[in-house]
Amino acid sequence: MLRHYDQLGLLKPSQTDKFTGYRYYTIDQLPRLNRILALKALGISLEQIAQLLGRDGQLSAERLRGMLELRQAEIAQEMQEKQRQLLAVEARLRQIEHEGRPPPYEVVFKSAPAMVVASLRRIVPRVDEMGFYCLTLYRQLYAELARLGITPLQPEITLYHAQEYVETDLDTEIAVPVQEKHLRSEPAAAGVTVRELSEAPLVAALVYEGPFAEMPPAVLSLLGHAGSHGYAFAGPLRELHLSGPAHTAEGQEHPAPVVELQIPIQRP
Amino acid sequence: MLRHYDQLGLLKPSQTDKFTGYRYYTIDQLPRLNRILALKALGISLEQIAQLLGRDGQLSAERLRGMLELRQAEIAQEMQEKQRQLLAVEARLRQIEHEGRPPPYEVVFKSAPAMVVASLRRIVPRVDEMGFYCLTLYRQLYAELARLGITPLQPEITLYHAQEYVETDLDTEIAVPVQEKHLRSEPAAAGVTVRELSEAPLVAALVYEGPFAEMPPAVLSLLGHAGSHGYAFAGPLRELHLSGPAHTAEGQEHPAPVVELQIPIQRP
DNA sequence: TTGCTCCTCACGTCACGTGAGGTGGC
DNA sequence: TTGCTCCTCACGTCACGTGAGGTGGC
């Protein structure tokens, strides 16, 4: 430590043996060392300490006060961060206790940009008919887009407009991003709407990989996670098909698609 | 970040262009990235994350739980440290507010070793006679030691046996360390006691530099500091003359001695 | 031809800690 | 002669950030 402080010029030995290089300190260097250690114990950097102490070791009350107030704010920040970490760690531990094993996905918070989509919206009577409805609707949507000469972009997005978790009469919208210019041109297709899907400044999201049939636990986990952090839902659940269209041309469902689930939220 | 993870082998691109070196990732690498980011947000190191995730990205519930519990304990430690720092910063700020400028010394906590001392003990009637008494007593003590052929060691220590801060009838002991062997030999000198000054496992200490006459504020600061941290005093105040004997042979007081003040304390 | 986005080194951050290899005085 | 304590490099820590200098496709 003393070698380090010597190198930094923070505390130089009062004398150095010319032949052996031994560092010799005098008793009256003790106050300066104590001052350095005391400031260091507050978490102040050596560089800042060097600025405070200067060459003579006198510290101005004003500059010290400024630095302490700065440090006070920093510590508050750091404690908040630790607090956040602690809550998150505890939440994960509880999760493991309850479910026996860690979930195969992670919830992250981010924003989702606005985009222009072509979409179809229907009420799906029962949850177990969702697969069939989506297949049909996406096929119909892609056919209409082809007829209109509009190039579909990626990823497909299925939106669930239900305000809460329901298993019947699901208000479902299937959407495909298109170029912005198509927003103005009147779509002459049956039931196809071209609209802007607005930006979501904050969403809780997770990436799920596996069959659609096994997705509900992931949905519940996402909603539960966001809910348990005290957020309020601020829009329909979005299901992004990141690994491409959910269905092949032959009407086969993708066996293990990569899906991003997003729920727009508001800070409580 | 991705370059770094590539280098560590934590998240390698599924494909790297042979000619340009461009890193290409696939959509199904997203879950692994999210897992990495989620664990990192808990303050877990990349090395530990690599151990947890392994090559396949499956994390065992047991190992995760172990690591989370470890991390939980770490965070608790870190928060305690921050809490300590915050209190210390606040204490220093209050000090500046009250006194207008930072004190020229720092209080540190440490232990003080046991040692054998030769000493004289007297009641000093008034605090303003302390200088004269000490001069006389130290002169007498050194004379007796010389007569007995005992080599005085350093540093001189003055002990104040009063249980509280008083200004009259101060129970004062002046002491000089001597070699351990003198503890057994009967001292045939007038009033000189050879005794063990016991170890103090915990003392609050500060190093003061300046005239003896201006030392009282430092003493009050030390006692106040230890007291305000909730410690109980556990022995007489010790005044170590680090820069050598306080008086010259001619009876002059050292103009700006380096003095270490120690107050033995107990955790509350 | 000009931007743009990617690339590869290589060095810096912060406060020391840790060897490797060496030396003077007891 | 042997320990002991000091010395001087030089590299490692941790998770990237920051240039410098260069490149392929629009």
Side-chain angles (χ1 to χ4, degrees), chain A residues 7-67:
Chain A
Q7 211 173 336
L8 295 184
L10 190 55
L11 181 70
K12 289 208 166 284
S14 81
Q15 192 196 334
T16 308
D17 187 290
K18 216 193 303 180
F19 299 110
T20 66
Y22 277 31
R23 293 174 178 79
Y24 292 100
Y25 297 83
T26 56
I27 283 294
D28 42 306
Q29 292 186 281
L30 256 186
R32 185 177 174 96
L33 178 57
N34 279 341
R35 222 163 278 144
I36 292 170
L37 295 180
L39 291 171
K40 191 157 70 78
L42 306 181
I44 294 174
S45 75
L46 296 188
E47 196 187 333
Q48 289 177 312
I49 293 174
Q51 282 176 26
L52 276 177
L53 292 185
R55 192 151 287 280
D56 57 349
Q58 296 300 346
L59 29 74
S60 108
E62 215 164 311
R63 286 201 297 167
L64 178 60
R65 195 157 65 93
M67 203 145 282

Side-chain angles (χ1 to χ4, degrees), chain A residues 47 73 77 111 140 192 204 213 229 251:
Chain A
E47 196 187 333
Q77 281 283 101
S111 67
Q140 185 184 341
V192 173
H229 281 63

Side-chain angles (χ1 to χ4, degrees), chain A residues 161-181:
Chain A
H161 286 276
Q163 291 297 332
E164 50 194 48
Y165 186 78
V166 290
E167 300 206 327
T168 55
D169 292 333
L170 296 104
D171 183 355
T172 307
E173 181 177 10
I174 63 146
V176 170
V178 297
Q179 282 183 299
E180 216 179 310
K181 63 180 181 190

